[in-house]
Amino acid sequence: MRFRLAILTLLTALTGASFAQGASAYVEGQVIVRFGKHVSRTEAQQLLDPLRFSLERELVPALNIQLVKLTPQLSVLDAIEELKGYSIVVWSQADHYLSQRSTFPNDALFGSQWDMNQASDSDIDAPEAWDVSTGGTDQAGNDIVVAVIDGGCLLTHPDLQGNLWTNPNEIPGNAIDDDTNGYVDDINGWDAYDENGTLPVHNHGTHVAGTVGARGNNASMVSGVNWNVKLMIVAGSSSQTSVVSIAYNYVLTQKTLWWQTNGLRGANVVATNSSFGVDNASCTSGSYPIWNDLYNAMGEQGILSAAATANNAVDVDAVGDVPTQCTSPYLVTVTNTTNADLKNSGSAWGQTSIDLGAPGTSILSTTSDGATGYSTGTSMATPHVAGAIALMHAAASTVFNDYYHLYPDSAALALRELLLASVDTISALTSITVTWGRLNLHKAVNEISQYSGSNGALPNLRYVSSVVADTVFADADGLFERGETVTLEVAILNTAANATNVAGTLSESDPYLSLIDNSGAWPEIDKDSTRSNTADYFVLQADSATPLDHVATLTLALTADSGYTVNRSFALIIGRRTIYWADSVRDGTNGWTHDNYTNGFVDQWHISTELSASPDSAWKCGNSSTGTYSDSLDAGLISPPIVITPQSIFTFDSWIDAESSTLYQDSAYDGGFVEISTNGGPFAIVTPSGGYGRTFRYERGSGNPYTGPLPGVPCYSGSTSWLSKTIDLSGFAGDSVRFRFRFCSDSSTQREGWYLDNFAISGEEPVPVAPLAVDDLVIQIIGNDALLAWTEPDPTITGYVIYRSADSEFVPSSADSIGFTFGLQYTDVGIAASDSLNFYFIKSIK
């Protein structure tokens, strides 16, 4: 008791000193006032002393809260006291200064860790989470351990050494099992390959370990999700299930021993991280029973297992995946998101199998050469989640910590639930993952820091999912579209005492969403059961002007018997964009053309099978024979014309390796950019979301002029793996556009080049409109080509879109477009060789 009293006295003394020294925590010369009614400026002059107070502005009109300016002679504290004497004043307070509660580490390369903190907020909100906890120990002071099950790790890496788990009961190098745990000389973990404590050096494992727990705020390199977590290194990422089993067994043994000895031996492992498995294998087929057994056994000891899904663009619900299609409740399955909050095009998904996404594209972390480097894959996404589990344990309330030590299996499931419930919902993962969202570290640690559990007599109700049905009021396509009225069923999970007379009230502050019926009921939800309000659903209506892919946030206030109340928030997507034009570069050129634009320069665009974001092929600017592009390139890849619908976006996948300046980080010698042509007009550069990042140089050192074609033009350059890019086309609605991907190089130093894949345009669903056919169309077969020619008396026509279909009744859309021309003829190359019947439309453009 004396100790607590001493702290309170110190705080009082410090507060008093702050005001006495004038270092005020509020704005001088103004106060915030809530009036009992709305007060106009004129009324204020009558009610308040005009020589001492004046209304500056309304802050919250609905609450009659206003900002009041003070005469220079009047202090803030005196003004607050004086305003208490006015009957119309409900309260007054100082305009306090606030601080952003974001804890940034001083690690030298933290600014390059977009996954942790990014201006466009596709990150996991790590600095905000670190204001709650930076990891290390739980409420009882126990070290928190994450087992990184991979190929090994560089144990001497300077940014990892301080965070490596060390077995305190084992004497290094004496060839004796000192702690009698069954493993000899397991100092930092275990090598499941060779069954010894000598851990191999491995780049992938080092990179993963750094994301989980590179030492934070040590003025060196990068920061992991946890600044101070303990990393248990287990080498066991293998093509053999038996080796993986040995690795998992080591973790299970250490945690079991930790419980049995009250922490004197073993390790407090709370999460495993792994990125291995069997592609296209059904975990539910009965051929892989070991996986669920392993995860369940570790889960019963309080360990959640984070697993990376396949680095293939597949739906694992349909094709299977081991282990991420497995059903253990202690498994957390992860896919890869980009810095634009898109699912990486080379990563798997699954509406029922893949729980959430996490940043996994171009992630900067520790490497096996003792430095740092970038890498991409679901393997890079998953350690963010394993790290989040550990940080949640560090941030957890005393109630949760006590719960975990009493019931580790149930508490692990409760933590998993909080983790998944706190994601940021993003449109790219909607309907293709369980949560529809991407990891938000800040929300997760906030949730568990406030965990209060249940008092035994009360339930613990959690939002699980929601289902929109438009069968009653709308077109029954299963989507919540603009202007529609839909019913909404919400699934609620109860993890504590049985709940009776469960009722819920929805509320929202979204300008595009109206609640027609905001009350629902779940008569009773037993402990560990999930129920939906199927008999009393909600009814919602979306405004016809709702933007596409609009995320509406709702709050559900739940009540039950015994006075139980809780608020839960969730999100709905309104007006999903429709993909109305796409090309995955699998079926030939599809109307794409390419050329060079500067005399003496060359064009190297071609379809290549060397690299692709989707299977098989991609467009490449570069030489596939030599492996590098040529000097003096000025080459453009031009799309067929596409008519743009309202609120459209253009997405494509980009992989580039081009010469950039090592001295000037924002400069390039070689690189690529995107241009757009509208209605047959000239091409002009267009900037994708996030910008280009570099600009072509004007000179090449020592005063030598730059020899590339376009000095001063922004571009993509340097080396980046596959990234999804987005271009906003909302300003081009109704236009026929063509895109030109232009790659330029100077007269020296070659790299691999530029690959492009998975082009898509999505927006409002096009309304098919029959184009006006031109007069006098003549089709002549010359060899394997079809030559189309026509006449056009209208001088205002600027170009023509060519459509082709095997159906004579077809109504042309952008998907049927095969080309564009300014002239009065067009050659459909190679079409006659197919020996099929085709019909053409030619649409003129003014």
Side-chain angles (χ1 to χ4, degrees):
M1 181 62 70
R2 286 196 299 269
F3 177 67
R4 292 182 179 176
L5 181 61
I7 292 177
L8 292 172
T9 304
L10 176 60
L11 288 174
T12 304
L14 288 174
T15 305
S18 173
F19 283 102
Q21 295 169 7
S24 62
Y26 48 75
V27 181
E28 296 286 0
Q30 61 191 42
V31 294
I32 300 173
V33 178
R34 180 172 184 179
F35 295 96
K37 66 172 187 174
H38 180 265
V39 178
S40 66
R41 193 175 298 274
T42 301
E43 286 179 301
Q45 298 295 351
Q46 297 171 347
L47 296 170
L48 303 177
D49 185 345
L51 298 178
R52 302 170 72 77
F53 307 103
S54 62
L55 295 190
E56 177 69 10
R57 59 164 296 178
E58 290 184 308
L59 298 178
V60 188
L63 298 178
N64 304 318
I65 296 175
Q66 304 211 30
L67 187 65
V68 174
K69 281 288 187 180
L70 311 178
T71 185
Q73 292 77 26
L74 187 60
S75 74
V76 169
L77 297 181
D78 288 342
I80 291 172
E81 284 299 314
E82 187 171 328
L83 286 166
K84 291 179 181 178
Y86 289 92
S87 60
I88 196 171
V89 173
V90 178
W91 50 253
S92 61
Q93 70 157 71
D95 187 5
H96 298 108
Y97 286 118
L98 307 178
S99 61
Q100 285 296 107
R101 293 184 172 174
S102 303
T103 302
F104 288 85
N106 60 11
D107 301 273
L109 300 179
F110 181 71
S112 297
Q113 292 185 266
W114 73 264
D115 48 322
M116 303 291 180
N117 186 63
Q118 181 203 43
S120 59
D121 206 27
S122 298
D123 59 329
I124 63 172
D125 286 348
E128 294 85 348
W130 292 331
D131 192 57
V132 181
S133 175
T134 55
T137 60
D138 62 18
Q139 289 285 349
N142 302 300
D143 282 339
I144 296 168
V145 182
V146 174
V148 178
I149 303 172
D150 213 283
C153 180
L154 178 66
L155 302 181
T156 57
H157 196 292
D159 222 15
L160 296 177
Q161 277 183 303
N163 282 354
L164 291 176
W165 173 77
T166 301
N167 187 344
N169 300 302
E170 194 75 12
I171 299 172
N174 67 355
I176 298 173
D177 181 12
D178 301 289
D179 61 353
T180 64
N181 67 352
Y183 299 89
V184 175
D185 289 342
D186 57 325
I187 305 303
N188 301 115
W190 191 248
D191 179 2
Y193 307 123
D194 295 331
E195 292 270 38
N196 60 49
T198 303
L199 293 163
V201 175
H202 194 263
N203 191 65
H204 187 282
T206 306
H207 198 280
V208 167
T211 299
V212 174
R215 192 78 171 184
N217 207 41
N218 63 347
S220 175
M221 300 191 193
V222 294
S223 177
V225 172
N226 296 262
W227 291 5
N228 302 296
V229 74
K230 295 304 179 186
L231 301 167
M232 174 186 285
I233 308 302
V234 183
S237 179
S238 175
S239 59
Q240 292 181 247
T241 305
S242 57
V243 175
V244 172
S245 302
I246 293 168
Y248 279 137
N249 184 65
Y250 178 78
V251 176
L252 177 61
T253 300
Q254 292 288 45
K255 186 57 179 281
T256 304
L257 188 60
W258 192 81
W259 287 122
Q260 291 173 345
T261 63
N262 291 318
L264 295 178
R265 291 190 292 154
N268 181 29
V269 181
V270 299
T272 69
N273 186 94
S274 54
S275 49
F276 41 74
V278 186
D279 290 348
N280 304 332
S282 175
C283 194
T284 59
S285 66
S287 299
Y288 304 91
I290 190 173
W291 293 90
N292 275 326
D293 286 355
L294 286 169
Y295 294 129
N296 289 340
M298 290 188 291
E300 288 167 5
Q301 301 300 320
I303 300 172
L304 293 177
S305 294
T309 194
N311 284 305
N312 292 321
V314 296
D315 180 352
V316 299
D317 290 350
V319 305
D321 184 69
V322 174
T324 60
Q325 193 201 27
C326 295
T327 57
S328 170
Y330 302 100
L331 182 64
V332 185
T333 52
V334 190
T335 191
N336 170 4
T337 60
T338 73
N339 61 2
D341 251 351
L342 300 173
K343 184 190 74 66
N344 185 287
S345 57
S347 301
W349 67 91
Q351 186 173 7
T352 60
S353 299
I354 307 306
D355 291 316
L356 77 166
T361 305
S362 291
I363 302 302
L364 182 64
S365 187
T366 48
T367 51
S368 59
D369 58 358
T372 59
Y374 290 92
S375 195
T376 293
T378 55
S379 298
M380 281 60 252
T382 307
H384 290 86
V385 175
I389 294 167
L391 195 67
M392 290 175 73
H393 274 273
S397 67
T398 302
V399 173
F400 178 85
N401 192 67
D402 292 343
Y403 180 29
Y404 184 73
H405 281 258
L406 287 171
Y407 308 104
D409 52 347
S410 299
L413 293 177
L415 186 145
R416 179 182 185 275
E417 181 188 331
L418 293 175
L419 172 72
L420 299 185
S422 60
V423 298
D424 281 339
T425 302
I426 59 175
S427 58
L429 297 181
T430 299
S431 298
I432 65 170
T433 60
V434 173
T435 63
W436 295 16
R438 183 248 312 127
L439 172 68
N440 185 305
L441 186 66
H442 179 218
K443 291 180 182 177
V445 298
N446 246 353
E447 281 284 324
I448 203 159
S449 70
Q450 301 172 44
Y451 181 88
S452 58
S454 64
N455 64 4
L458 294 180
N460 183 29
L461 302 180
R462 293 281 177 181
Y463 168 86
V464 175
S465 62
S466 56
V467 176
V468 167
D470 52 356
T471 55
V472 178
F473 303 102
D475 57 6
D477 64 356
L479 299 175
F480 193 3
E481 297 169 338
R482 296 179 295 171
E484 278 192 342
T485 300
V486 299
T487 61
L488 180 71
E489 295 176 8
V490 178
I492 300 297
L493 168 68
N494 180 16
T495 61
N498 293 348
T500 54
N501 291 322
V502 180
T505 303
L506 275 183
S507 61
E508 48 75 33
S509 58
D510 192 284
Y512 300 104
L513 186 63
S514 299
L515 301 178
I516 308 303
D517 183 348
N518 71 337
S519 62
W522 303 252
E524 57 185 41
I525 308 176
D526 292 341
K527 183 179 185 298
D528 296 327
S529 297
T530 300
R531 291 196 63 179
S532 298
N533 56 320
T534 52
D536 186 8
Y537 45 71
F538 303 104
V539 181
L540 294 72
Q541 185 177 60
D543 191 276
S544 59
T546 306
L548 291 175
D549 282 347
H550 178 66
V551 179
T553 301
L554 299 99
T555 299
L556 177 60
L558 293 167
T559 62
D561 286 344
S562 303
Y564 178 82
T565 63
V566 68
N567 289 338
R568 302 299 184 197
S569 296
F570 61 98
L572 295 176
I573 304 292
I574 303 173
R576 296 292 301 276
R577 283 187 171 89
T578 299
I579 297 177
Y580 58 87
W581 180 87
D583 187 354
S584 61
V585 200
R586 294 182 180 183
D587 307 313
T589 57
N590 289 331
W592 290 80
T593 58
H594 48 93
D595 206 347
N596 64 291
Y597 302 102
T598 300
N599 288 336
F601 282 60
V602 295
D603 166 26
Q604 289 187 323
W605 281 110
H606 65 286
I607 293 178
S608 168
T609 57
E610 296 166 84
L611 286 175
S612 61
S614 60
D616 305 329
S617 55
W619 281 101
K620 176 186 181 180
C621 191
N623 190 321
S624 292
S625 297
T626 65
T628 61
Y629 53 77
S630 298
D631 292 331
S632 302
L633 271 170
D634 185 5
L637 174 68
I638 305 173
S639 74
I642 307 110
V643 178
I644 303 303
T645 68
Q647 299 189 51
S648 288
I649 59 172
F650 177 39
T651 59
F652 61 93
D653 290 338
S654 167
W655 186 105
I656 196 165
D657 180 22
E659 185 195 8
S660 59
S661 172
T662 56
L663 184 60
Y664 303 100
Q665 295 299 310
D666 60 349
S667 298
Y669 297 110
D670 309 330
F673 56 93
V674 190
E675 298 172 301
I676 192 169
S677 166
T678 307
N679 299 325
F683 282 95
I685 192 168
V686 61
T687 303
S689 299
Y692 288 104
R694 298 182 190 267
T695 303
F696 287 120
R697 295 278 296 160
Y698 281 95
E699 61 179 40
R700 193 177 181 94
S702 304
N704 295 320
Y706 170 65
T707 55
L710 296 170
V713 172
C715 65
Y716 293 124
S717 188
S719 297
T720 61
S721 56
W722 286 108
L723 293 174
S724 296
K725 306 293 185 181
T726 302
I727 296 175
D728 182 3
L729 299 179
S730 57
F732 297 90
D735 293 330
S736 175
V737 306
R738 291 178 298 157
F739 298 97
R740 182 164 71 184
F741 293 85
R742 196 164 172 181
F743 188 83
C744 303
S745 66
D746 65 1
S747 60
S748 66
T749 311
Q750 307 84 33
R751 302 278 190 258
E752 185 165 354
W754 195 14
Y755 294 86
L756 299 169
D757 201 354
N758 288 335
F759 307 93
I761 300 178
S762 58
E764 281 191 6
E765 187 172 359
V767 177
V769 177
L772 298 175
V774 300
D775 294 331
D776 305 322
L777 175 62
V778 176
I779 304 174
Q780 182 180 2
I781 303 300
I782 302 176
N784 287 328
D785 303 336
L787 175 64
L788 285 63
W790 57 91
T791 60
E792 179 57 73
D794 187 346
T796 64
I797 298 301
T798 59
Y800 302 87
V801 182
I802 291 78
Y803 301 88
R804 180 183 69 213
S805 175
D807 180 8
S808 63
E809 304 296 328
F810 86 113
V811 178
S813 67
S814 294
D816 303 306
S817 169
I818 62 169
F820 177 88
T821 181
F822 293 106
L824 298 177
Q825 63 181 30
Y826 180 84
T827 300
D828 193 1
V829 178
I831 186 64
S834 66
D835 195 29
S836 59
L837 185 63
N838 288 285
F839 298 89
Y840 293 91
F841 272 88
I842 313 297
K843 180 181 178 183
S844 57
I845 297 175
K846 290 189 177 183

